[in-house]
């Protein structure tokens, strides 16, 4: 199996050695995943970024659920924008920056989000969690002081089938409180199950 | 000019990725300009491959995965910056085919369209889905198609024969020539309130089951209404539109409260006559969709025309995306 790429267009990301040189390496194209350039071969043109990340590159930080762009489990940041990797064609992501939950790192905002997901019980089976952490990171980066309605709206592309959204919302509010964006008292307002009159 | 047979990656640096797997070679074309896109599309067709035009991918990529569509060559349009431009003339708005729903959602020149874009899918979908993709996929209840149908939009295209334009209904009926691509849509600048409403299985990320756009033009004394999800394509409700034209007090842009119910009833009658109808299926019975069309149309009508006296009780717009069904 051999492959060729001539992606001089993205030379800045790919560095030297594009074009014919890749023929010998059996590489179709490269993906910048979590800051590492990864060679992709044996992938088909119709393969989604999700398929290539998981099945070709072994990046299991993205989860495979609906493959229709509806559940958010495969969420990544593509050139800094939140995207469902199952709706992105992998070969078209050559030259783009792909960041999964693993690449968001254990520091800063993402560390706080992970910690609060645990502290607030926003994790049960955990399958949806990587996608949620990416989506919450995207939301709080763009809109640190998002109110409850805005948080619900922003996370509506991510589906959780076991914990329920109250705990996830509480985790996001707790991150905002920890960072001094909202008063601590507000962190346990409407999203907290114990405080809701309907107990939902 | 790129032609089949002489197409070599080295000849078009950075524009072509050959994807080889299982003994087959597929070509990913990544043009940077509309001219290049037209040339590459022609080259891809000349090679005899099954060609897909890739916009945002939100419809195409899952369809490739499920086998509903196949592609041996892909022309990916994401890097064509010309297609990502939106602009306003004295009377019209032009929206490039590569403009995403997220781009549209904050567009102050067309608040109605911005609200329609805001209720499409989820953040993930809005960040990637494009105007050109909505036209190319032509889903029966596609959010944008319903709005653009009510807006009498025109579709701008490019092909080796040069630029061209056609009405949206003609585009949807005839489709594109294989060597053409959509470059933009054009619609009139808003002349009054515009409301888009939809009903879906779930608020976010799911396609609408039934959708409705009502656009009021207080300058031309005209109201247009389109319904998606009852026919194979979005349909205009001409009878209801004529009723509105006669019923609206155009000096104030308002109507009497009972008019909204009558408007909704007329839409139900008309929805039942739309041909070809969308077959009965998992998207709900046809009667349900006719009824839903009438409810949405009456509600959108009231929101457009009761705005000076306040919305009717129990029908207040809620949430940040008040243009949509919340």
């Amino acid at each position: 199996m051999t492959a060729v790429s001539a992606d001089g267009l993205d030379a800045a990301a790919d560095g030297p050695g594009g074009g014919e040189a890749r023929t010998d390496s059996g590489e179709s194209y490269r993906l910048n995943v979590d800051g590492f350039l990864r060679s992709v071969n044996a992938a088909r043109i119709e393969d989604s970024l999700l398929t290539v990340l998981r099945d070709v590159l072994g990046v299991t930080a993205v989860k495979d659920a609906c493959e229709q762009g509806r559940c958010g489990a495969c969420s990544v940041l593509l050139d800094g924008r939140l995207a469902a990797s199952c709706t992105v064609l992998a070969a078209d992501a050559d030259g783009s920056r792909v960041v999964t939950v693993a690449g968001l790192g254990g520091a800063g905002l993402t560390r706080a989000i992970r910690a609060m997901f645990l502290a607030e019980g926003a994790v049960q089976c955990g399958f949806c969690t990587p996608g949620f952490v990416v989506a919450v990171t995207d939301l709080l980066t763009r809109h640190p002081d998002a109110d409850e309605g805005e948080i619900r709206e922003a996370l509506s592309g991510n589906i959780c089938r076991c914990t329920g959204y109250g705990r996830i919302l509480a985790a996001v509010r707790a991150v905002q409180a920890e960072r001094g964006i909202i008063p601590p008292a507000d962190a346990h307002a409407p999203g907290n199950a114990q405080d809701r009159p309907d107990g939902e | 000019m790129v032609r089949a047979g002489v197409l070599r990656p080295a000849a078009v640096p950075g524009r072509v990725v050959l994807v080889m797997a299982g003994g087959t070679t597929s070509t990913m074309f990544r043009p940077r300009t509309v001219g290049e896109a037209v040339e590459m599309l022609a080259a891809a067709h000349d090679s005899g491959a099954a060609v897909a035009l890739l916009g945002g991918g939100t419809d195409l990529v899952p369809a490739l995965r499920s086998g509903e569509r196949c592609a041996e060559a892909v022309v990916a349009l994401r890097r064509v910056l010309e297609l990502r431009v939106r602009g306003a003339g004295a009377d019209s708005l032009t929206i490039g085919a590569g403009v995403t729903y997220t781009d549209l959602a904050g567009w102050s020149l067309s608040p109605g369209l911005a609200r329609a874009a805001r209720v499409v899918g989820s953040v993930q979908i809005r960040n990637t889905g494009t105007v050109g993709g909505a036209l190319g996929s032509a889903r029966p209840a596609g959010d944008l198609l319903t709005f653009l149908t009510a807006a009498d939009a025109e579709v701008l295209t490019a092909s080796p024969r040069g630029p061209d334009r056609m009405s949206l209904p003609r585009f949807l009926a005839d489709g594109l020539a294989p060597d053409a691509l959509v470059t933009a849509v054009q619609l009139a600048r808003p002349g009054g309130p515009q409301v888009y409403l939809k009903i879906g299985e779930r608020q976010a990320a799911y396609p609408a089951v039934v959708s409705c756009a009502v656009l009021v033009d207080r300058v031309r004394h005209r109201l247009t209404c389109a319904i998606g999800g009852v026919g194979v394509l979005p349909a205009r409700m001409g009878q209801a539109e004529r009723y509105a034209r006669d019923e609206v007090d155009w000096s104030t842009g308002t109507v009497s409260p009972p008019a909204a119910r009558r408007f909704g009833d007329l839409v139900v009658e008309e929805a039942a006559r739309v041909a070809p109808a969308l077959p009965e299926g998992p998207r709900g019975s046809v009667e349900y969709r006719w009824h839903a069309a009438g409810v949405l149309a009456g509600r959108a009508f009231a929101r457009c025309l009761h705005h000076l006296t306040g919305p009717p009780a129990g029908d207040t717009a809620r949430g940040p995306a008040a243009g949509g069904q919340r």
Side-chain angles (χ1 to χ4, degrees):
Chain A
M1 215 173 295
T2 58
V4 175
S5 170
D7 195 34
L9 172 120
D10 301 303
D14 286 355
E20 301 298 328
R22 293 199 197 163
T23 310
D24 304 329
S25 65
E27 172 185 280
S28 283
Y29 53 90
R30 292 180 186 179
L31 290 178
N32 181 335
V33 183
D34 295 331
F36 294 92
L37 277 176
R38 306 284 303 269
S39 292
V40 177
N41 48 43
R44 298 165 308 160
I45 194 165
E46 67 267 31
D47 283 340
S48 69
L49 180 57
L50 169 65
T51 300
V52 168
L53 284 174
R54 286 186 61 88
D55 300 347
V56 178
L57 299 178
V59 178
T60 53
V62 285
K63 299 302 170 194
D64 182 355
C66 79
E67 294 192 350
Q68 296 178 60
R70 296 183 182 184
C71 77
C74 67
S75 294
V76 296
L77 297 178
L78 183 68
D79 288 330
R81 302 189 104 182
L82 187 66
S85 61
C86 70
T87 68
V88 175
L89 213 57
D92 194 35
D94 179 319
S96 296
R97 281 174 296 117
V98 179
V99 177
T100 72
V101 70
L104 288 172
L109 178 61
T110 304
R111 182 210 56 81
I113 294 167
R114 287 174 166 180
M116 289 307 172
F117 262 63
L118 291 172
E120 295 290 332
V123 175
Q124 190 167 310
C125 85
F127 194 81
C128 68
T129 309
F132 265 104
V133 172
V134 175
V136 172
T137 302
D138 173 65
L139 167 67
L140 293 182
T141 302
R142 284 184 299 111
H143 199 167
D145 59 349
D147 65 24
E148 182 182 331
E150 289 162 340
I151 296 167
R152 286 185 182 275
E153 207 287 324
L155 299 183
S156 61
N158 292 73
I159 292 177
C160 170
R161 287 280 100 113
C162 51
T163 304
Y165 302 98
R167 306 315 313 156
I168 292 167
L169 182 62
V172 179
R173 299 301 264 169
V175 173
Q176 291 177 311
E178 188 197 55
R179 297 170 87 78
I181 291 160
I182 58 168
D186 289 2
H188 291 276
N192 189 312
Q194 287 100 42
D195 295 345
R196 284 180 63 134
D198 58 2
E200 193 182 308
Chain B
M1 185 72 188
V2 177
R3 304 306 304 172
V6 297
L7 187 71
R8 296 185 312 273
V12 277
R15 304 299 197 265
V16 177
V17 176
L18 296 184
V19 182
M20 302 181 83
T24 61
T25 306
S26 310
T27 313
M28 166 74 92
F29 297 90
R30 308 204 306 178
R32 281 298 181 96
T33 66
V34 170
E36 258 180 23
V38 169
E39 289 178 2
M40 288 179 167
L41 185 56
H45 279 297
D46 286 353
S47 72
V51 184
L53 278 168
L54 175 66
T58 53
D59 285 327
L60 178 65
V61 178
L64 290 172
R65 171 71 177 173
S66 69
E68 185 188 331
R69 296 207 36 194
C70 72
E72 292 153 345
V74 172
V75 181
L77 300 170
R78 190 158 66 95
R79 288 167 184 75
V80 183
L81 294 181
E82 289 168 76
L83 297 180
R84 303 183 69 169
V85 174
R86 57 183 194 195
D91 302 315
S92 66
L93 303 173
T94 304
I95 304 160
V99 170
T100 65
Y101 293 106
T102 298
D103 296 334
L104 278 184
W107 203 22
S108 60
L109 288 176
S110 185
L113 188 58
R115 279 193 301 274
R118 225 170 286 152
V119 297
V120 173
S122 57
V123 176
Q124 288 91 330
I125 299 297
R126 292 194 293 274
N127 278 348
T128 39
T130 63
V131 170
L135 292 167
S137 313
R139 283 173 179 272
D143 294 281
L144 208 58
L145 285 193
T146 304
F147 189 96
L148 293 177
T149 298
D152 284 321
E154 284 201 297
V155 180
L156 279 58
T157 63
S159 75
R161 295 168 297 288
D164 199 3
R165 59 166 60 219
M166 63 181 97
S167 70
L168 178 61
R170 208 189 107 207
F171 169 82
L172 293 175
D174 299 350
L176 271 181
D179 58 356
L181 56 98
V182 175
T183 54
V185 289
Q186 207 165 61
L187 58 159
R189 289 185 80 138
Q194 303 183 333
V195 169
Y196 173 77
L197 298 174
K198 66 175 189 174
I199 288 177
E201 290 170 51
R202 185 172 175 272
Q203 297 291 339
Y206 279 51
V209 172
V210 179
S211 60
C212 169
V214 172
L215 277 55
V216 177
D217 188 334
R218 290 186 59 179
V219 180
R220 293 174 192 80
H221 294 185
R222 203 161 159 254
L223 178 149
T224 54
C225 173
I227 297 290
V230 296
V232 171
L233 295 169
R236 284 282 287 274
M237 303 285 113
Q239 193 187 336
E241 289 181 6
R242 285 188 290 280
Y243 167 78
R245 186 189 58 206
D246 299 337
E247 200 66 19
V248 174
D249 175 352
W250 289 105
S251 62
T252 60
T254 56
V255 283
S256 63
R261 177 170 288 273
R262 176 70 187 137
F263 183 81
D265 290 345
L266 287 170
V267 166
V268 175
E269 287 173 23
E270 232 169 326
R273 292 197 298 269
V274 170
L278 198 61
E280 192 142 348
R283 298 161 71 85
S285 73
V286 289
E287 290 81 6
Y288 166 76
R289 285 186 269 119
W290 298 339
H291 173 74
V295 171
L296 292 183
R299 209 175 274 174
F301 182 88
R303 284 191 194 170
C304 283
L305 300 167
H306 295 170
H307 64 290
L308 291 179
T309 53
D315 197 28
T316 45
R318 290 178 296 271
Q325 186 72 12
R326 302 303 297 165

